[in-house]
Amino acid sequence: MDAQGRGRADDIDPADQWVLNPTTGEYELRLTPSAPQSAVPGPRRSAPRSGGAGGATRNRSAAPGRTAPAEAPGRDVPPPRRRRGAPEEPLPGRRSRRPVKKKSRAKKVVLWTGGVMAFVLVGTAGAAYLYLKHLEGNVTTEDVGNVADDGFSKDEAFNILIIGTDKRTGAGNEGYGDKGSVGHADTNILLHVSKDRTNATAMSIPRDLIVDVPDCEVTEDDTTKVIPGTQNKRFNTSLGQYGRNPGCTMKTVEELTGIDVNHFAMADFDAVKTLTSAVGGVEVCLAKNVNDPDSHLNLSAGKHTIEGEEALAFVRTRHSFGNQGDLDRIKVQQQFMSSLMRKMTSGDTLTSPTKLIKLANAATKALTVDKGIGKASTLKDVALELKKVPMKNIAFTTVPVKDNPAEVVKATVVPLEPNASQVFNMIKSDTSFTAVKAKEKKEKAAVAARLKGTKSDASEVRVRILNGGAPGGSAQEELTYLQTEAGVSKSENAGNAEKSLAKTTLEYAPDQADQARRLAAIMGLSGSAMKPGESVTNSQGLPTMTLTLGEDFKGAGVKMNSSAAPANVDKTTANEVKCAS
């Protein structure tokens, strides 16, 4: 008999048979072997039925050289089945067992569903989710070739691109905007989860950001074709345009940021409506009254709980906040996502069987994912890893941008440097955007230790700078910072290094050790970045150190050991409550 059947027969709720394994962090089915029963008075057992499942007589063979003991009459006769909820009467000759405190029905359902944890990020139509294993059949997968990883590693940092399309599929969505849209990348969030699972970053990419879309391969009806790339086009054209698939959007992000994107999750308008309804609504706050005829949002100032169509109207509204543009709408969407995440991880949701079931169905039906995470076991692993990140350490930010200087009428944006490169490099190097006090204290102590006994002033430091893998222009940007902000006036740009380096290094001669410690303190270089070696001659014919900026370079003026976000970069965290203004 299966576990569920046994649970009913023994008056055991099946949920009680799922036990958390502290080693793996997963729920496992544990069936306790039936204990032998003492002989009890009762009617003589009827002869077993012949044939049919369960009708065969069990043979009990005696060990060699021994005589099999005679069966006690009534030995295998089960005690009378008690009604569910009725007190258990002790068997004759046994002590009464202590009453067992029964789990609440809500907790049983949580155990029965495998300790589900749904983590959802929703923009105009974007979502990422974790869901119940038995609902895998709801999920649609799309093959994007080798752009996405084949599987998922629980031991590494990972990046998932969340794409919200503007495709008007689904009941009730025909009336929104461009009815004939092929499904462009309307809302885009790159979710980075750190290797140690202490923090995560959700970086929004504006749809009107001007980028180069690279060539990409798409497969249709078992036929693969290459879609030519385009230059200086809106980011949202990386999906849908000319038949581009999510793999094209992933490649565009990689070209823009230098960050390896492991997987994607894509959804349309229905995701916002169904997910917010599944959790019983999401609380939002408005700093002023809003009545937007375009999105149909009509709410007074203050706090409101919204779901369904009203929630979709809230995240689609662009003419009611800030400068009435897409960048201000992104900020509102991030506030909405933070609120949704808080609601989904609250006890009110996780202990409600009804909400859990609705949420699981809504999340699995809302998304299309790559084949690498399209299996139930893989999605379960992603869920458990995401669950480890504290809400206060989930940071929301946006690619730093400025108005496109090539336009008279400002309609698009371009990356703002060096800020954009700083943000990309922080994610690429797995650096937290949330301040960690213990780490900051350690950094200050390290700087003080380096400077102890150092006699060289910044103005005495001679260094030439090479670009050895950092974003283009980094050597000149760092030179400008060192000369104008840090007082390292005897520095110069020496162009590109002969080869790329993963890590930034500072090479110096023995007699330059004091200068090296001063520059290391200014830049936040670690001990491993310091390379005793030889000096070179600078343009004035004087011996100088060599600073080679590697792939881990975080941007001009950003300390290499910094745990905080660069200056002038907006960020919020998922635990913050803000009012849209």
Side-chain angles (χ1 to χ4, degrees):
M1 185 178 292
D2 63 19
Q4 195 168 353
R6 288 183 60 178
R8 292 194 186 101
D10 294 336
D11 198 21
I12 300 174
D13 193 298
D16 293 333
Q17 296 174 306
W18 288 84
V19 181
L20 178 66
N21 185 330
T23 303
T24 64
E26 302 175 11
Y27 285 90
E28 299 175 355
L29 183 64
R30 302 284 178 84
L31 299 177
T32 304
S34 300
Q37 295 174 329
S38 302
V40 294
R44 185 179 297 273
R45 182 180 59 179
S46 300
R49 296 177 182 175
S50 60
T57 304
R58 181 180 298 176
N59 293 322
R60 299 184 180 182
S61 302
R66 297 185 182 179
T67 303
E71 289 192 32
R75 180 179 179 85
D76 288 341
V77 177
R81 182 179 297 175
R82 58 188 173 85
R83 295 190 306 273
R84 185 176 290 271
E88 183 178 3
E89 295 183 3
L91 297 174
R94 285 190 181 181
R95 294 180 182 178
S96 298
R97 291 186 297 177
R98 293 181 180 179
V100 179
K101 185 178 180 181
K102 295 181 74 64
K103 297 180 179 69
S104 70
R105 180 62 185 168
K107 189 170 183 180
K108 290 177 181 178
V109 173
V110 172
L111 292 173
W112 181 243
T113 55
V116 63
M117 161 65 176
F119 179 104
V120 180
L121 299 174
V122 180
T124 299
Y129 70 104
L130 301 177
Y131 63 101
L132 299 175
K133 291 204 302 186
H134 68 272
L135 293 177
E136 177 183 340
N138 286 350
V139 183
T140 301
T141 61
E142 184 164 350
D143 185 4
V144 293
N146 60 7
V147 180
D149 293 355
D150 291 336
F152 172 75
S153 173
K154 294 188 284 186
D155 301 319
E156 300 294 334
F158 61 92
N159 302 301
I160 298 178
L161 179 62
I162 303 160
I163 306 170
T165 76
D166 58 2
K167 199 169 185 177
R168 270 63 174 167
T169 54
N173 296 328
E174 309 85 13
Y176 295 122
D178 182 8
K179 297 180 181 179
S181 174
V182 294
H184 293 115
D186 193 59
T187 296
N188 311 276
I189 300 168
L190 182 62
L191 174 65
H192 170 80
V193 180
S194 68
K195 182 176 181 178
D196 61 9
R197 308 301 187 246
T198 61
N199 64 89
T201 302
M203 181 183 71
S204 295
I205 304 173
R207 68 177 190 177
D208 296 327
L209 179 67
I210 295 299
V211 297
D212 292 338
V213 180
D215 297 349
C216 62
E217 291 185 351
V218 299
T219 301
E220 295 179 358
D221 300 325
D222 298 326
T223 301
T224 300
K225 64 178 181 179
V226 176
I227 300 178
T230 52
Q231 286 71 48
N232 295 320
K233 298 296 182 182
R234 280 181 168 87
F235 181 89
N236 67 345
T237 62
S238 64
L239 178 69
Q241 197 81 1
Y242 311 120
R244 290 174 177 139
N245 67 13
C248 301
T249 309
M250 293 173 69
K251 288 191 67 175
T252 304
V253 172
E254 291 179 341
E255 291 270 338
L256 170 69
T257 66
I259 300 168
D260 181 31
V261 182
N262 307 110
H263 303 285
F264 83 87
M266 181 173 66
D268 59 21
F269 282 0
D270 277 342
V272 180
K273 296 192 290 187
T274 57
L275 289 169
T276 53
S277 295
V279 295
V282 175
E283 185 178 89
V284 296
C285 179
L286 283 78
K288 61 181 181 180
N289 297 336
V290 171
N291 187 359
D292 184 355
D294 292 328
S295 68
H296 308 297
L297 181 67
N298 188 356
L299 292 174
S300 60
K303 294 181 179 179
H304 300 270
T305 298
I306 59 177
E307 62 178 276
E309 293 286 351
E310 196 169 35
L312 179 59
F314 183 85
V315 296
R316 289 187 67 245
T317 294
R318 70 161 65 190
H319 301 302
S320 302
F321 306 114
N323 295 322
Q324 302 184 6
D326 192 54
L327 295 178
D328 289 298
R329 182 176 66 164
I330 286 175
K331 294 179 182 178
V332 174
Q333 290 171 354
Q334 291 174 350
Q335 295 168 18
F336 177 85
M337 289 185 284
S338 297
S339 181
L340 178 59
M341 290 165 60
R342 291 193 298 270
K343 181 61 177 290
M344 297 184 72
T345 55
S346 69
D348 179 53
T349 298
L350 294 180
T351 58
S352 169
T354 302
K355 289 181 180 179
L356 281 175
I357 292 171
K358 286 183 178 179
L359 188 55
N361 277 289
T364 51
K365 290 179 180 179
L367 301 182
T368 297
V369 300
D370 61 89
K371 290 188 174 181
I373 55 173
K375 295 181 180 179
S377 58
T378 307
L379 287 160
K380 175 202 65 177
D381 291 340
V382 176
L384 292 174
E385 296 308 305
L386 282 171
K387 187 178 178 182
K388 297 176 182 178
V389 182
M391 198 68 65
K392 65 180 181 179
N393 287 341
I394 300 176
F396 289 90
T397 190
T398 305
V399 175
V401 295
K402 63 180 181 180
D403 288 336
N404 187 353
E407 294 178 333
V408 177
V409 178
K410 304 303 180 183
T412 61
V413 293
V414 295
L416 173 65
E417 296 295 357
N419 302 52
S421 293
Q422 291 175 24
V423 171
F424 301 155
N425 287 329
M426 286 187 70
I427 294 175
K428 189 176 180 180
S429 61
D430 199 25
T431 303
S432 172
F433 276 70
T434 52
V436 182
K437 291 184 178 180
K439 190 172 181 179
E440 289 179 341
K441 185 177 180 180
K442 184 178 179 180
E443 290 167 2
K444 290 180 181 179
V447 170
R450 283 197 197 97
L451 292 177
K452 189 176 182 180
T454 301
K455 299 178 181 179
S456 295
D457 187 75
S459 61
E460 299 173 356
V461 174
R462 291 192 299 273
V463 62
R464 67 169 189 158
I465 307 170
L466 296 172
N467 190 331
S474 293
Q476 183 58 45
E477 291 165 3
E478 182 65 11
L479 173 67
T480 301
Y481 166 76
L482 290 176
Q483 291 182 339
T484 60
E485 302 292 335
V488 185
S489 56
K490 297 176 182 178
S491 51
E492 61 183 34
N493 182 355
N496 293 324
E498 294 181 357
K499 61 180 181 179
S500 294
L501 301 177
K503 302 291 185 180
T504 296
T505 61
L506 175 62
E507 185 177 358
Y508 57 96
D511 61 347
Q512 296 171 321
D514 200 61
Q515 291 184 35
R517 286 194 293 271
R518 172 63 65 179
L519 184 60
I522 293 171
M523 294 188 60
L525 294 173
S526 64
S528 62
M530 312 289 284
K531 303 294 181 184
E534 298 179 354
S535 64
V536 295
T537 302
N538 66 9
S539 58
Q540 283 79 42
L542 299 173
T544 184
M545 301 181 293
T546 300
L547 173 67
T548 305
L549 305 179
E551 295 177 358
D552 65 336
F553 181 66
K554 298 180 179 181
V558 181
K559 289 185 180 295
M560 297 297 296
N561 59 359
S562 175
S563 62
N568 302 320
V569 174
D570 291 333
K571 73 176 181 66
T572 59
T573 52
N575 64 319
E576 294 181 56
V577 179
K578 291 189 174 183
C579 293
S581 59

